[in-house]
Amino acid sequence: MNASHTTATRSPLQLAALVMGVVFLLVGVLGFIPGITTDYGAMRFAGHESGAHLLGVFQVSILHNIVHLLFGIAGVALARSWAGARNFLIVGGAIYALLWLYGLLIDHGSPANFVPLNTADNWLHLILAVVMIALGVLLGRRAAATRR
């Protein structure tokens, strides 16, 4: 298949999953770039001791960046099919909702904060959860209705 044919047959749901996947890939890569990630030298593999912050705001670690990269790879791969895209958005959104709850419940200065997470991460995770689930449900309904 050529690229124009693939693009023309991609549903809005698949496009949304693809865009989210690419954004996660971009965030994962940016987390490894000094300057874009402040206090880069204070980055740790994992744990609340990691002092690096993506864009000077979001606390990151090597593990955190790897998770973003893996999430991005999953989004791009699953966007190839309608069901995969819907599952990525809804299940991925549910994972981010759980991560948001986890971030609210743990002490950010404790070993339980292994990802690590800060308040800015918690807000972003809530927004990601709502947006991803909404996209998966709303665009999934439209595509299902169109297929009938």
Side-chain angles (χ1 to χ4, degrees), residues 21-79:
V22 169
V23 168
F24 281 114
L25 283 172
L26 180 63
V27 168
V29 169
L30 292 176
F32 287 113
I33 299 176
I36 295 174
T37 298
T38 58
D39 300 317
Y40 188 82
M43 186 182 301
R44 303 289 177 262
F45 178 76
H48 66 280
E49 301 91 4
S50 186
H53 290 81
L54 179 62
L55 304 174
V57 177
F58 305 100
Q59 189 175 10
V60 293
S61 65
I62 294 169
L63 176 62
H64 203 153
N65 292 333
I66 290 170
V67 168
H68 289 141
L69 291 170
L70 292 174
F71 225 79
I73 291 167
V76 169
L78 290 169

Short mmCIF file of all heavy atoms in Angstrom, two decimals, residues 21-79:
data_model
loop_
_atom_site.label_atom_id
_atom_site.label_comp_id
_atom_site.label_asym_id
_atom_site.label_seq_id
_atom_site.Cartn_x
_atom_site.Cartn_y
_atom_site.Cartn_z
N GLY A 21 -0.10 8.55 19.99
CA GLY A 21 1.11 7.74 20.00
C GLY A 21 2.34 8.55 19.63
O GLY A 21 3.39 8.46 20.29
N VAL A 22 2.23 9.38 18.61
CA VAL A 22 3.35 10.22 18.18
C VAL A 22 3.70 11.23 19.28
O VAL A 22 4.88 11.48 19.54
CB VAL A 22 3.03 10.92 16.84
CG1 VAL A 22 4.06 11.99 16.52
CG2 VAL A 22 2.96 9.89 15.71
N VAL A 23 2.70 11.78 19.93
CA VAL A 23 2.96 12.73 21.03
C VAL A 23 3.71 12.03 22.16
O VAL A 23 4.68 12.57 22.70
CB VAL A 23 1.64 13.37 21.53
CG1 VAL A 23 1.86 14.12 22.85
CG2 VAL A 23 1.08 14.30 20.47
N PHE A 24 3.29 10.82 22.52
CA PHE A 24 3.99 10.08 23.56
C PHE A 24 5.44 9.78 23.14
O PHE A 24 6.35 9.89 23.96
CB PHE A 24 3.27 8.77 23.91
CG PHE A 24 2.09 8.96 24.81
CD1 PHE A 24 0.81 8.70 24.36
CD2 PHE A 24 2.25 9.40 26.12
CE1 PHE A 24 -0.29 8.87 25.19
CE2 PHE A 24 1.16 9.57 26.96
CZ PHE A 24 -0.12 9.31 26.49
N LEU A 25 5.64 9.42 21.89
CA LEU A 25 7.01 9.20 21.39
C LEU A 25 7.84 10.48 21.51
O LEU A 25 8.99 10.44 21.98
CB LEU A 25 6.99 8.73 19.94
CG LEU A 25 6.61 7.29 19.69
CD1 LEU A 25 6.44 7.04 18.20
CD2 LEU A 25 7.67 6.35 20.26
N LEU A 26 7.27 11.58 21.10
CA LEU A 26 7.96 12.86 21.16
C LEU A 26 8.33 13.22 22.61
O LEU A 26 9.46 13.62 22.89
CB LEU A 26 7.10 13.96 20.54
CG LEU A 26 7.68 15.36 20.52
CD1 LEU A 26 8.95 15.41 19.67
CD2 LEU A 26 6.65 16.35 19.97
N VAL A 27 7.38 13.06 23.52
CA VAL A 27 7.64 13.35 24.93
C VAL A 27 8.73 12.44 25.48
O VAL A 27 9.62 12.90 26.22
CB VAL A 27 6.33 13.24 25.75
CG1 VAL A 27 6.60 13.24 27.25
CG2 VAL A 27 5.38 14.36 25.37
N GLY A 28 8.69 11.17 25.10
CA GLY A 28 9.73 10.24 25.55
C GLY A 28 11.11 10.64 25.07
O GLY A 28 12.09 10.58 25.82
N VAL A 29 11.22 11.06 23.83
CA VAL A 29 12.50 11.50 23.27
C VAL A 29 12.95 12.80 23.93
O VAL A 29 14.10 12.96 24.34
CB VAL A 29 12.42 11.65 21.74
CG1 VAL A 29 13.64 12.35 21.19
CG2 VAL A 29 12.24 10.28 21.08
N LEU A 30 12.02 13.76 24.06
CA LEU A 30 12.36 15.06 24.64
C LEU A 30 12.85 14.92 26.09
O LEU A 30 13.68 15.71 26.54
CB LEU A 30 11.17 16.01 24.58
CG LEU A 30 10.76 16.49 23.20
CD1 LEU A 30 9.50 17.35 23.27
CD2 LEU A 30 11.88 17.22 22.51
N GLY A 31 12.36 13.91 26.78
CA GLY A 31 12.79 13.66 28.15
C GLY A 31 14.26 13.30 28.26
O GLY A 31 14.84 13.36 29.35
N PHE A 32 14.87 12.93 27.16
CA PHE A 32 16.30 12.57 27.15
C PHE A 32 17.18 13.69 26.58
O PHE A 32 18.37 13.48 26.38
CB PHE A 32 16.52 11.29 26.34
CG PHE A 32 16.03 10.04 27.04
CD1 PHE A 32 14.96 9.32 26.53
CD2 PHE A 32 16.64 9.60 28.21
CE1 PHE A 32 14.52 8.16 27.17
CE2 PHE A 32 16.20 8.46 28.85
CZ PHE A 32 15.13 7.73 28.33
N ILE A 33 16.61 14.86 26.31
CA ILE A 33 17.39 15.94 25.71
C ILE A 33 17.68 17.01 26.75
O ILE A 33 16.75 17.67 27.25
CB ILE A 33 16.64 16.55 24.50
CG1 ILE A 33 16.43 15.47 23.42
CG2 ILE A 33 17.40 17.75 23.95
CD1 ILE A 33 15.64 15.93 22.23
N PRO A 34 18.98 17.19 27.09
CA PRO A 34 19.35 18.24 28.04
C PRO A 34 18.90 19.60 27.51
O PRO A 34 18.96 19.88 26.32
CB PRO A 34 20.88 18.15 28.10
CG PRO A 34 21.21 16.79 27.58
CD PRO A 34 20.13 16.44 26.59
N GLY A 35 18.46 20.44 28.40
CA GLY A 35 17.97 21.77 28.01
C GLY A 35 16.45 21.76 27.93
O GLY A 35 15.81 22.59 28.55
N ILE A 36 15.91 20.81 27.18
CA ILE A 36 14.45 20.64 27.17
C ILE A 36 14.05 20.00 28.49
O ILE A 36 13.02 20.32 29.06
CB ILE A 36 13.99 19.81 25.95
CG1 ILE A 36 14.30 20.60 24.67
CG2 ILE A 36 12.51 19.47 26.05
CD1 ILE A 36 14.04 19.85 23.40
N THR A 37 14.91 19.10 28.96
CA THR A 37 14.75 18.53 30.29
C THR A 37 15.75 19.24 31.20
O THR A 37 16.97 19.11 31.01
CB THR A 37 14.99 17.01 30.28
OG1 THR A 37 14.00 16.42 29.44
CG2 THR A 37 14.90 16.42 31.67
N THR A 38 15.23 20.02 32.15
CA THR A 38 16.10 20.77 33.05
C THR A 38 16.68 19.84 34.12
O THR A 38 16.12 18.79 34.41
CB THR A 38 15.33 21.92 33.72
OG1 THR A 38 14.22 21.39 34.45
CG2 THR A 38 14.83 22.93 32.69
N ASP A 39 17.81 20.27 34.67
CA ASP A 39 18.53 19.48 35.68
C ASP A 39 18.77 18.05 35.18
O ASP A 39 18.62 17.08 35.92
CB ASP A 39 17.77 19.47 37.01
CG ASP A 39 17.61 20.86 37.58
OD1 ASP A 39 18.58 21.64 37.53
OD2 ASP A 39 16.50 21.18 38.06
N TYR A 40 19.13 17.96 33.92
CA TYR A 40 19.32 16.67 33.26
C TYR A 40 20.31 15.79 34.02
O TYR A 40 20.12 14.58 34.11
CB TYR A 40 19.80 16.89 31.82
CG TYR A 40 19.84 15.63 31.00
CD1 TYR A 40 18.69 15.13 30.41
CD2 TYR A 40 21.03 14.93 30.83
CE1 TYR A 40 18.71 13.97 29.66
CE2 TYR A 40 21.07 13.77 30.08
CZ TYR A 40 19.91 13.29 29.50
OH TYR A 40 19.94 12.14 28.77
N GLY A 41 21.35 16.39 34.57
CA GLY A 41 22.36 15.63 35.31
C GLY A 41 21.82 14.99 36.59
O GLY A 41 22.43 14.08 37.13
N ALA A 42 20.67 15.47 37.06
CA ALA A 42 20.06 14.91 38.27
C ALA A 42 19.06 13.80 37.96
O ALA A 42 18.40 13.28 38.86
CB ALA A 42 19.37 16.02 39.05
N MET A 43 18.97 13.42 36.67
CA MET A 43 18.04 12.35 36.30
C MET A 43 18.56 11.01 36.82
O MET A 43 19.73 10.71 36.73
CB MET A 43 17.86 12.27 34.77
CG MET A 43 16.78 11.27 34.37
SD MET A 43 16.55 11.07 32.58
CE MET A 43 16.14 12.70 32.07
N ARG A 44 17.66 10.23 37.38
CA ARG A 44 17.95 8.88 37.86
C ARG A 44 17.16 7.88 37.03
O ARG A 44 16.24 8.26 36.33
CB ARG A 44 17.57 8.74 39.34
CG ARG A 44 18.25 9.73 40.25
CD ARG A 44 19.74 9.41 40.38
NE ARG A 44 20.42 10.39 41.18
CZ ARG A 44 21.12 11.42 40.70
NH1 ARG A 44 21.21 11.61 39.41
NH2 ARG A 44 21.72 12.26 41.50
N PHE A 45 17.52 6.61 37.17
CA PHE A 45 16.77 5.59 36.43
C PHE A 45 15.30 5.61 36.86
O PHE A 45 14.39 5.58 36.04
CB PHE A 45 17.35 4.19 36.60
CG PHE A 45 16.54 3.16 35.86
CD1 PHE A 45 16.63 3.04 34.49
CD2 PHE A 45 15.62 2.37 36.53
CE1 PHE A 45 15.84 2.14 33.78
CE2 PHE A 45 14.83 1.47 35.84
CZ PHE A 45 14.95 1.34 34.47
N ALA A 46 15.08 5.64 38.17
CA ALA A 46 13.72 5.65 38.71
C ALA A 46 13.77 6.25 40.11
O ALA A 46 14.85 6.45 40.66
CB ALA A 46 13.16 4.23 38.77
N GLY A 47 12.62 6.52 40.66
CA GLY A 47 12.53 6.98 42.03
C GLY A 47 12.33 8.47 42.17
O GLY A 47 12.62 9.25 41.27
N HIS A 48 11.83 8.85 43.34
CA HIS A 48 11.51 10.24 43.61
C HIS A 48 12.74 11.13 43.70
O HIS A 48 12.63 12.35 43.67
CB HIS A 48 10.68 10.35 44.90
CG HIS A 48 11.43 9.96 46.14
ND1 HIS A 48 11.61 8.65 46.50
CD2 HIS A 48 12.05 10.72 47.07
CE1 HIS A 48 12.31 8.61 47.61
NE2 HIS A 48 12.59 9.86 47.98
N GLU A 49 13.93 10.53 43.77
CA GLU A 49 15.17 11.31 43.85
C GLU A 49 15.56 11.92 42.50
O GLU A 49 16.44 12.77 42.44
CB GLU A 49 16.34 10.45 44.34
CG GLU A 49 16.14 9.83 45.70
CD GLU A 49 15.50 8.45 45.61
OE1 GLU A 49 15.28 7.94 44.48
OE2 GLU A 49 15.18 7.90 46.67
N SER A 50 14.94 11.49 41.43
CA SER A 50 15.26 12.04 40.11
C SER A 50 14.88 13.51 40.11
O SER A 50 13.74 13.88 40.36
CB SER A 50 14.51 11.29 39.01
OG SER A 50 14.94 11.76 37.74
N GLY A 51 15.87 14.34 39.83
CA GLY A 51 15.64 15.78 39.88
C GLY A 51 15.42 16.42 38.53
O GLY A 51 15.36 17.65 38.43
N ALA A 52 15.31 15.64 37.49
CA ALA A 52 15.11 16.17 36.13
C ALA A 52 13.65 16.51 35.91
O ALA A 52 12.75 15.84 36.43
CB ALA A 52 15.57 15.15 35.10
N HIS A 53 13.41 17.58 35.12
CA HIS A 53 12.05 18.03 34.83
C HIS A 53 11.91 18.36 33.35
O HIS A 53 12.61 19.23 32.84
CB HIS A 53 11.70 19.25 35.66
CG HIS A 53 11.55 18.95 37.11
ND1 HIS A 53 12.63 18.84 37.95
CD2 HIS A 53 10.45 18.72 37.86
CE1 HIS A 53 12.20 18.56 39.16
NE2 HIS A 53 10.88 18.47 39.13
N LEU A 54 11.00 17.66 32.68
CA LEU A 54 10.70 17.94 31.28
C LEU A 54 10.06 19.32 31.21
O LEU A 54 9.10 19.61 31.95
CB LEU A 54 9.77 16.88 30.71
CG LEU A 54 9.35 17.06 29.26
CD1 LEU A 54 10.57 17.00 28.34
CD2 LEU A 54 8.35 15.99 28.86
N LEU A 55 10.62 20.18 30.36
CA LEU A 55 10.16 21.56 30.20
C LEU A 55 10.21 22.34 31.52
O LEU A 55 9.51 23.33 31.71
CB LEU A 55 8.74 21.61 29.62
CG LEU A 55 8.55 20.90 28.28
CD1 LEU A 55 7.08 20.88 27.88
CD2 LEU A 55 9.40 21.54 27.19
N GLY A 56 11.02 21.86 32.46
CA GLY A 56 11.16 22.51 33.75
C GLY A 56 9.96 22.31 34.67
O GLY A 56 9.89 22.92 35.74
N VAL A 57 9.01 21.45 34.29
CA VAL A 57 7.75 21.31 35.03
C VAL A 57 7.48 19.87 35.48
O VAL A 57 7.17 19.62 36.64
CB VAL A 57 6.56 21.80 34.16
CG1 VAL A 57 5.24 21.61 34.88
CG2 VAL A 57 6.75 23.26 33.76
N PHE A 58 7.56 18.92 34.55
CA PHE A 58 7.14 17.55 34.80
C PHE A 58 8.34 16.71 35.23
O PHE A 58 9.29 16.54 34.47
CB PHE A 58 6.50 16.94 33.54
CG PHE A 58 5.35 17.76 33.02
CD1 PHE A 58 5.52 18.60 31.95
CD2 PHE A 58 4.11 17.68 33.62
CE1 PHE A 58 4.46 19.36 31.46
CE2 PHE A 58 3.04 18.43 33.16
CZ PHE A 58 3.22 19.28 32.07
N GLN A 59 8.28 16.15 36.44
CA GLN A 59 9.38 15.34 36.95
C GLN A 59 9.50 14.07 36.10
O GLN A 59 8.51 13.39 35.85
CB GLN A 59 9.15 14.98 38.41
CG GLN A 59 10.34 14.32 39.05
CD GLN A 59 10.13 14.07 40.54
OE1 GLN A 59 9.02 14.23 41.06
NE2 GLN A 59 11.18 13.68 41.22
N VAL A 60 10.71 13.78 35.65
CA VAL A 60 10.94 12.60 34.83
C VAL A 60 12.16 11.83 35.31
O VAL A 60 13.00 12.35 36.04
CB VAL A 60 11.13 12.96 33.33
CG1 VAL A 60 9.85 13.49 32.73
CG2 VAL A 60 12.28 13.93 33.12
N SER A 61 12.21 10.60 34.89
CA SER A 61 13.35 9.72 35.13
C SER A 61 13.56 8.92 33.85
O SER A 61 12.77 9.03 32.90
CB SER A 61 13.05 8.77 36.30
OG SER A 61 11.98 7.90 35.96
N ILE A 62 14.58 8.14 33.83
CA ILE A 62 14.80 7.28 32.66
C ILE A 62 13.61 6.35 32.48
O ILE A 62 13.09 6.19 31.37
CB ILE A 62 16.13 6.51 32.80
CG1 ILE A 62 17.30 7.51 32.77
CG2 ILE A 62 16.27 5.45 31.72
CD1 ILE A 62 18.65 6.92 33.15
N LEU A 63 13.15 5.75 33.58
CA LEU A 63 11.99 4.85 33.51
C LEU A 63 10.76 5.58 32.99
O LEU A 63 10.03 5.07 32.13
CB LEU A 63 11.70 4.26 34.89
CG LEU A 63 10.45 3.38 35.00
CD1 LEU A 63 10.58 2.15 34.10
CD2 LEU A 63 10.22 2.97 36.45
N HIS A 64 10.52 6.78 33.48
CA HIS A 64 9.37 7.58 33.05
C HIS A 64 9.44 7.83 31.54
O HIS A 64 8.44 7.66 30.82
CB HIS A 64 9.39 8.91 33.82
CG HIS A 64 8.07 9.59 33.93
ND1 HIS A 64 7.77 10.43 34.96
CD2 HIS A 64 6.98 9.61 33.14
CE1 HIS A 64 6.55 10.92 34.80
NE2 HIS A 64 6.05 10.43 33.70
N ASN A 65 10.62 8.20 31.04
CA ASN A 65 10.79 8.43 29.61
C ASN A 65 10.59 7.15 28.80
O ASN A 65 9.99 7.17 27.72
CB ASN A 65 12.17 9.03 29.33
CG ASN A 65 12.32 10.44 29.88
OD1 ASN A 65 11.34 11.16 30.02
ND2 ASN A 65 13.54 10.82 30.19
N ILE A 66 11.09 6.04 29.31
CA ILE A 66 10.92 4.75 28.62
C ILE A 66 9.44 4.39 28.54
O ILE A 66 8.95 3.91 27.51
CB ILE A 66 11.75 3.65 29.30
CG1 ILE A 66 13.24 3.89 29.06
CG2 ILE A 66 11.33 2.26 28.81
CD1 ILE A 66 14.16 2.99 29.87
N VAL A 67 8.70 4.64 29.61
CA VAL A 67 7.26 4.36 29.61
C VAL A 67 6.57 5.20 28.53
O VAL A 67 5.72 4.69 27.78
CB VAL A 67 6.64 4.61 31.00
CG1 VAL A 67 5.12 4.61 30.94
CG2 VAL A 67 7.13 3.57 31.99
N HIS A 68 6.96 6.48 28.41
CA HIS A 68 6.38 7.31 27.35
C HIS A 68 6.70 6.75 25.97
O HIS A 68 5.83 6.71 25.10
CB HIS A 68 6.90 8.76 27.44
CG HIS A 68 6.35 9.52 28.60
ND1 HIS A 68 7.12 10.38 29.33
CD2 HIS A 68 5.11 9.54 29.15
CE1 HIS A 68 6.37 10.91 30.28
NE2 HIS A 68 5.15 10.41 30.19
N LEU A 69 7.93 6.32 25.77
CA LEU A 69 8.32 5.75 24.48
C LEU A 69 7.52 4.48 24.17
O LEU A 69 7.03 4.30 23.05
CB LEU A 69 9.82 5.46 24.44
CG LEU A 69 10.73 6.69 24.42
CD1 LEU A 69 12.18 6.27 24.65
CD2 LEU A 69 10.58 7.45 23.11
N LEU A 70 7.39 3.60 25.16
CA LEU A 70 6.64 2.35 24.95
C LEU A 70 5.15 2.64 24.69
O LEU A 70 4.54 2.00 23.84
CB LEU A 70 6.80 1.43 26.16
CG LEU A 70 8.20 0.85 26.36
CD1 LEU A 70 8.29 0.08 27.67
CD2 LEU A 70 8.60 -0.03 25.19
N PHE A 71 4.60 3.60 25.41
CA PHE A 71 3.22 3.99 25.18
C PHE A 71 3.05 4.53 23.77
O PHE A 71 2.06 4.26 23.09
CB PHE A 71 2.80 5.04 26.22
CG PHE A 71 1.47 4.78 26.83
CD1 PHE A 71 1.32 3.84 27.83
CD2 PHE A 71 0.36 5.49 26.42
CE1 PHE A 71 0.08 3.61 28.41
CE2 PHE A 71 -0.89 5.26 26.98
CZ PHE A 71 -1.02 4.32 27.98
N GLY A 72 4.03 5.31 23.32
CA GLY A 72 4.00 5.86 21.96
C GLY A 72 4.07 4.78 20.91
O GLY A 72 3.32 4.80 19.92
N ILE A 73 4.95 3.81 21.10
CA ILE A 73 5.07 2.70 20.16
C ILE A 73 3.74 1.94 20.10
O ILE A 73 3.26 1.59 19.01
CB ILE A 73 6.23 1.77 20.56
CG1 ILE A 73 7.57 2.48 20.33
CG2 ILE A 73 6.17 0.44 19.80
CD1 ILE A 73 8.77 1.79 20.97
N ALA A 74 3.14 1.70 21.27
CA ALA A 74 1.85 1.00 21.31
C ALA A 74 0.79 1.79 20.55
O ALA A 74 0.02 1.22 19.77
CB ALA A 74 1.42 0.77 22.75
N GLY A 75 0.74 3.10 20.76
CA GLY A 75 -0.26 3.93 20.08
C GLY A 75 -0.11 3.90 18.57
O GLY A 75 -1.09 3.74 17.85
N VAL A 76 1.12 4.03 18.10
CA VAL A 76 1.37 4.02 16.65
C VAL A 76 1.01 2.65 16.07
O VAL A 76 0.36 2.55 15.03
CB VAL A 76 2.83 4.41 16.35
CG1 VAL A 76 3.18 4.15 14.90
CG2 VAL A 76 3.07 5.88 16.72
N ALA A 77 1.41 1.59 16.76
CA ALA A 77 1.13 0.24 16.26
C ALA A 77 -0.36 -0.07 16.29
O ALA A 77 -0.91 -0.62 15.32
CB ALA A 77 1.90 -0.79 17.10
N LEU A 78 -1.03 0.27 17.38
CA LEU A 78 -2.45 -0.05 17.50
C LEU A 78 -3.34 0.83 16.62
O LEU A 78 -4.47 0.46 16.31
CB LEU A 78 -2.88 0.04 18.97
CG LEU A 78 -2.30 -1.06 19.85
CD1 LEU A 78 -2.54 -0.77 21.33
CD2 LEU A 78 -2.86 -2.42 19.46
N ALA A 79 -2.83 1.97 16.20
CA ALA A 79 -3.60 2.86 15.32
C ALA A 79 -3.79 2.25 13.93
O ALA A 79 -4.58 2.76 13.14
CB ALA A 79 -2.90 4.21 15.20
#
